[in-house]
Amino acid sequence: DAGVIQSPRHEVTEMGQEVTLRCKPISGHNSLFWYRQTMMRGLELLIYFNNNVPIDDSGMPEDRFSAKMPNASFSTLKIQPSEPRDSAVYFCASSRTGGLFYGYTFGSGTRLTVV
Amino acid sequence: GQQLNQSPQSMFIQEGEDVSMNCTSSSIFNTWLWYKQDPGEGPVLLIALYKAGELTSNGRLTAQFGITRKDSFLNISASIPSDVGIYFCAGSSGNTPLVFGKGTRLSVIA
């Protein structure tokens, strides 16, 4: 299994530009999570999906952030317009519900720098 | 909301020393998990605990699910340089998402 695949690994963009982060979860996993990691705040849950349906987006910081999951094998996190304070590492994770819980499998992350 | 207090925040140890870190919660969890994050990578699951009092080992790592279900600890014996990283505890109470601690940053001095 290739694991959770995120792209790009690094993104440098100018303030005001649109940024799209992509995630391919593990095949057969039906829950998908987007996290943001910073030194100050640690791992913050932004939004999660069950069976492609957004369940809780209360962690999304502002309306500038949006996430979609059009099918079971793909999700995007979009920031429009981006701001320097959005600079962080963004992780996607997936898991399977039902049966013994083995936690989440994380991708390698996208390091976003907004200048 | 649920919060996890993880300590210590950081540790500097000599190679060969044992390490201990812990997490406490304001509420009960059904599952405790311990993750390790290497630089530039995502967290990777080390150990999962499912029952109060459970003690589980994975090589040099040992973790326990506290009897009160509100705490857990992780021990690393005979540390080596590749143990460097950030260790996270996480708790699950069922259908809600995992709650993560802020992490313990481990540095090993050879």
Side-chain angles (χ1 to χ4, degrees), chain A residues 11 13-21 34-36 46 60-67 76-90 110-114:
Chain A
E11 176 81 35
T13 191
E14 291 186 346
M15 182 175 63
Q17 295 297 305
E18 177 180 297
V19 175
T20 299
L21 312 182
W34 281 101
Y35 283 86
R36 179 171 66 177
L46 300 178
M60 298 284 257
E62 298 172 32
D63 290 346
R64 298 183 296 105
F65 286 68
S66 63
T76 59
L77 178 68
K78 185 177 295 186
I79 308 172
Q80 166 63 21
S82 57
E83 296 182 3
R85 60 191 167 128
D86 301 331
S87 298
V89 181
Y90 291 81
T110 295
R111 180 174 295 276
L112 174 65
T113 303
V114 183

